[in-house]
Amino acid sequence: MTIRSDRDHGQRYRPRMSCLKKVEAIVVQMQDPSTGVKGADQKLNVTTIPHAITGQVIIAWIAKNMNMDSDEAQAFGTMLVAFGYIYPLQDHKKLVLKPDGSLYRFQTPYFWPVQKWKAEDTDYGFQSYLSIYLAKRNIRKKGVLDAYEQKKTYDYYRRIIIYTQQAVMRSRVKSSVSLGALVKYMTTFKNHDPFLVPCLPSNPWQTDNDSYWELNMTDVEVPTKMRVERWSFSFYELLNDPRGRADFKVFLKKEFSGENLAFWEAAEELKWGTAASMSEKAEHIFKTFLAPGAPRWINIDGRTMGLTVKGLEHPHRYVLDAAQTHIFMLMKKDTFYRYLKSPVYKEIQKKAISPEPHNFSDSQLQQNMRNRRPSISPIITWQKEQEEKAKAAAAAGPIDIKKLMASKLDRK
Amino acid sequence: MSVSDWLLFLLVRSLSLASLPGSIPFSSLQVQPQPDAKMCDQTFLAITFGPCDSCGLNKPLMNIYLKNEPINYCSLCVELMACQGLATGETIHTLKAESESLKTKLEEERAKLHDVELHQVAEKVEALGQFVMKTRRTLKGHGNKVLCMDWCRDKRRIVSSSQDGKVIVWDAYTTNKEHAVTMPCTWVMACAYAPSGCAVACGGLDNKCSVYPLSLDKNENLSAKKKSVAMHTNYLSSCSFTNSDMQILTSSGDGTCALWDVESGQLLQSFHGHSADVLSLNLAPSETGNTFVSGGCDKKANVWDMRSGQNVQSFETHESDINSVKYYPSGDAFATGSDDATCRLYDLRADREVAIYSKESIIFGASSVDFSLSGRLLFAGYNDYTINVWDVLKGTRVAILFGHENRVSTVRVSPDGTAFCSGSWDNTLRSHSQVGCSSGKWWRWRLNGS
């Protein structure tokens, strides 16, 4: 069943009036007899072409009057040729503006792209043409507006009211605070942005040497210093990097609090998983993390626990949202900072390598270019990862808290 | 729009969502925003799931207000409320007047917290040096205009789609073509690489989004295992996988966005609010991953909650169609590129537009935008065959790239930020990166960094 609405179909259906209006204004300026482009009758072979201008002159005029340098002026001039405001006399097939003595002429406005009606063979004088064109355009525009303004029914306004009320009641932050946060983010990540600071050992696209990617693979034993530094920027960065997440898991194992992260990962899998697998996953999560006496019982407050357990009776993909947020905040505010101060993190910081920047000679660069290495297909990498996960899940069963506590007490 | 059609559609949709019988006897089933949650990176915490105040069913809830009192309605009940007949004393004109006064109030609220401009904050930050970019690879192989491209998470593979119906997966680093699919339609305007790297999604004039699992066997016909996922009533303008291969978010020329389950093709959530074609969408890069932004021909950029389908924020400052939207890497802001030849930056927490990137000499529309890794640079491809690179903080243009011989249709930065790729109507894709800084500059950085 189709949902029809009274819509404006966008500029894909109408000519691009706003850009072309501005372009037209400039083309009119260019043809001004006193301040415009200086053209003259040009001799070409045995003929004389009236009002012809060279590419160089056009580019110089554009650069001067539009305050651009010559590269940009050439690009803009190419637009004029592409849209038909200027046509080349010599190379008809390639519509570009050449910065040399190639000849061009101004197209009569009758053939300008803003026209919607088919061009006829008869040629109008410029003045009479212009008046007809303007009159027709005004009539047409009015018609379009009328069609769009129709049918604003009461539900249209109700929806605006509902939305605007919600928008008014939203909490906002002061500009200084939010802009400050943007600047802080930029400053924090500045050294990690390959466009601002060169990446070590070298940018693979520049030197055709992919060591940078090799050193930063997901399963690498020793990460680079930059990568380890990035983990300290925010909890999100740590979790997003699979190597970082693995290191965090090592820390959690030592603290015997791996169930929080495991629960968070399971909840993510539920949220983003296929609809068919949802109830099965929800049941597994309940048994492993939430049931009283569960092997990996997570510590969340009573109200959230009640909400979640009740919701799990009829599971849907967002049933764990409240619990997941609670656990995530807990990890972010507490565990993450303890991790950064822990011996696990300090050790990885020490072990991390800082590769020397490459210094390839020109001939070496040429050689690199010829020997670009292909990489393993991501399909294979994915299959391997899935196999590893399955092995890990089978081998390490859920930790039995009772047994663990018993063994701890024994040691005391 | 026919109101009864709309209700029928919603009814059908709500029945297909998991709905729970009976109401839960809990005193407060609302997840109130925790006081310390404001410090987190999310821009908001919606009351997400529970019994609707109106119908009692357990559904994703929208947070809306009736006469300044918060109420929790499911999307169906919100629609029913909107479509109620006129009450006594109400006319179209009173409703119109009310909506206008609320809009003014919204602007006042926004202006109250507007205490500083971006360029003032930017004064304290040092300026960027000279930027020289170079085209590193030119990928030739498409027979017609390249319309869209996406990077694989392995930072070197890309998928691109073109007007002739071909979708090609390349290793952009070696320029080898790895897979090719011929779609049954022309103008494949959207393509996306799956997070696992094992599939690609594409669609266009066929109004559908199809997922093609990729195979290691070069001779296998990928069209055989194709899965038709999304079904719209007009062309598909953009598609994106969420955090997994199992869900796809699509936007369409029919004015809606939708979230689909790949395995079953089920519609999980639809997003209505644009009054014209939706041209682009982008998922928020936050740990919660619950929101996305869309931009359309109605000049609006809308931020949506994926769980409830609610439009949570809307920005309408552009003067023409928005061709492209992209989140700032922290997820607290987003940039748009539009046919009015400007790119704009919107701050989500301050709820306003904070910067306009434009120049007198730039007359043609921006078709595609993307941020560099730190968010300091904004790459924008334009319809005048050029790519402009903007300094996001200072608002100035730091570089302009020539080279394409026709309109630039898509610009995307690689996942690790080492390069960006541009696709154009001249049938080629080009990847560009920074030219090595002079050694002097690098040594200076090293001394500061160690």
Side-chain angles (χ1 to χ4, degrees), chain B residues 57 74 85 172 201 369 374 411 414 439:
Chain B
L57 299 172
C74 66
V369 296
S374 64
V411 169
S414 78
S439 48

Side-chain angles (χ1 to χ4, degrees), chain B residues 208-226:
Chain B
K208 295 199 275 220
C209 184
S210 316
V211 175
Y212 291 85
L214 298 173
S215 153
L216 291 167
D217 179 4
K218 299 276 172 195
N219 296 326
E220 189 175 333
N221 180 13
L222 294 174
S223 308
K225 295 221 186 110
K226 153 180 149 169

Side-chain angles (χ1 to χ4, degrees), chain A residues 121-141:
Chain A
D121 288 324
T122 43
D123 209 5
Y124 293 96
F126 182 61
Q127 290 294 1
S128 56
Y129 149 76
L130 200 56
S131 52
I132 298 170
Y133 159 65
L134 288 170
K136 282 198 181 183
R137 188 178 72 176
N138 287 335
I139 297 168
R140 200 175 49 237
K141 212 172 160 189

Side-chain angles (χ1 to χ4, degrees), chain A residues 7 11 16 72 79 158-159 163 165 176 178 193 206 208 213 272 307 314 317 321 373 375, chain B residues 20 65 79 84 90 115 137 156 173 244 247 275 307 314 321 339 347 372 374 385 397 434:
Chain A
R7 295 180 293 112
Q11 284 211 350
R16 297 185 181 270
E72 258 196 276
M79 285 293 106
R158 279 241 179 74
R159 283 202 193 89
Y163 166 75
Q165 255 171 341
S176 51
S178 59
D193 188 342
Q206 255 167 252
D208 290 315
W213 287 331
W272 305 118
L307 257 173
H314 303 278
R317 62 184 62 240
D321 224 34
R373 278 193 296 192
S375 70
Chain B
L20 310 171
Y65 292 82
E79 274 307 307
Q84 282 171 340
E90 272 187 347
D115 57 346
R137 305 281 190 277
R156 47 190 285 172
Y173 181 68
S244 78
Q247 290 178 359
S275 50
R307 298 168 294 188
S314 184
D321 311 358
D339 271 344
D347 187 326
S372 72
S374 64
Y385 312 0
R397 180 176 63 185
Q434 177 75 302

Side-chain angles (χ1 to χ4, degrees), chain A residues 1 4 7-12 16 19 22-23 26 68 71-72 75-76 79 82-83 152 154-155 157-170 172-176 178-179 181-183 185-186 189 191-198 200 203-206 208-210 212-213 216 230 236 268 271-275 307 310 314 316-318 321-322 328-329 332-333 356-357 372-380 382, chain B residues 1 5-6 20 29 36 40-41 49 63 65 67 79 81-85 90 92 95-96 102 106 113-116 121 128 131 133 136-137 151 155-157 173 196 198 214 216 242-244 246-247 253 261 266 275-277 279 285 287-290 307 311-314 320-321 328-330 339 347 349-352 361 363-364 372 374-377 384-385 393 397 400 402 416-420 431 434 436 442 445-446:
Chain A
M1 176 233 103
R4 295 210 191 285
R7 295 180 293 112
D8 171 18
H9 281 265
Q11 284 211 350
R12 282 162 210 255
R16 297 185 181 270
C19 315
K22 291 186 202 165
V23 175
I26 294 171
M68 295 178 183
D71 281 322
E72 258 196 276
F76 183 72
M79 285 293 106
F83 275 100
K152 293 261 163 78
Y154 55 89
D155 59 292
Y157 289 115
R158 279 241 179 74
R159 283 202 193 89
I160 295 182
I161 292 169
I162 293 173
Y163 166 75
T164 324
Q165 255 171 341
Q166 172 267 125
V168 166
M169 301 300 283
R170 273 179 71 76
R172 283 175 192 83
V173 172
K174 274 202 247 182
S175 289
S176 51
S178 59
L179 292 177
L182 285 183
V183 174
Y185 187 92
M186 267 182 226
F189 281 86
N191 289 340
H192 296 257
D193 188 342
F195 278 98
L196 298 177
V197 166
L200 302 170
N203 189 327
W205 299 97
Q206 255 167 252
D208 290 315
N209 178 298
D210 60 358
Y212 178 68
W213 287 331
N216 284 305
R230 204 169 154 177
Y236 175 63
E268 282 285 291
K271 211 162 48 163
W272 305 118
T274 53
L307 257 173
K310 203 70 192 181
H314 303 278
H316 56 87
R317 62 184 62 240
Y318 303 116
D321 224 34
F328 185 82
M329 286 314 205
K332 182 172 165 167
K333 302 239 144 88
E356 284 296 312
R372 286 179 200 151
R373 278 193 296 192
S375 70
I376 312 173
S377 168
I379 304 173
I380 300 178
W382 175 250
Chain B
M1 150 157 59
D5 276 346
W6 179 238
L20 310 171
L29 267 176
D36 51 11
C40 76
D41 300 333
F49 210 90
N63 59 339
Y65 292 82
K67 310 270 184 277
E79 274 307 307
M81 191 169 71
C83 300
Q84 282 171 340
E90 272 187 347
I92 297 253
L95 284 177
K96 186 172 178 186
L102 273 174
L106 177 61
L113 292 170
H114 176 190
D115 57 346
V116 78
V121 179
L128 296 170
F131 267 88
M133 310 240 187
R136 301 291 173 185
R137 305 281 190 277
W151 288 89
K155 308 153 196 171
R156 47 190 285 172
R157 283 177 173 75
Y173 181 68
S196 68
C198 299
L214 298 173
L216 291 167
T242 60
N243 285 356
S244 78
M246 304 298 156
Q247 290 178 359
D261 177 64
Q266 188 191 9
S275 50
D277 306 17
L279 294 180
E287 56 245 5
T288 47
N290 286 328
R307 298 168 294 188
N311 175 8
V312 287
Q313 272 175 293
S314 184
S320 187
D321 311 358
Y328 184 78
S330 73
D339 271 344
D347 187 326
R349 299 201 303 167
D351 199 21
R352 41 186 295 270
S361 54
I363 293 180
F364 291 88
S372 72
S374 64
R376 185 68 193 267
L377 299 173
D384 63 358
Y385 312 0
L393 272 190
R397 180 176 63 185
I400 176 167
F402 305 99
D416 62 353
T418 47
F420 73 94
S431 66
Q434 177 75 302
W442 185 84
W445 167 81
R446 196 191 193 192

Side-chain angles (χ1 to χ4, degrees), chain A residues 187-255:
Chain A
T187 334
T188 316
F189 281 86
K190 175 168 175 233
N191 289 340
H192 296 257
D193 188 342
F195 278 98
L196 298 177
V197 166
C199 51
L200 302 170
S202 65
N203 189 327
W205 299 97
Q206 255 167 252
T207 58
D208 290 315
N209 178 298
D210 60 358
S211 313
Y212 178 68
W213 287 331
E214 290 291 310
L215 291 171
N216 284 305
M217 290 191 69
T218 21
D219 50 0
V220 77
E221 179 63 42
V222 181
T224 60
K225 275 207 163 36
M226 293 296 278
R227 196 174 180 180
V228 174
E229 188 194 9
R230 204 169 154 177
W231 299 343
S232 67
F233 291 160
S234 81
F235 190 43
Y236 175 63
E237 289 291 325
L238 177 67
L239 283 189
N240 229 13
D241 185 352
R243 183 65 185 79
R245 204 189 280 203
D247 206 55
F248 189 56
K249 278 188 190 158
V250 169
F251 167 71
L252 290 176
K253 204 164 166 193
K254 294 213 167 132
E255 298 248 314

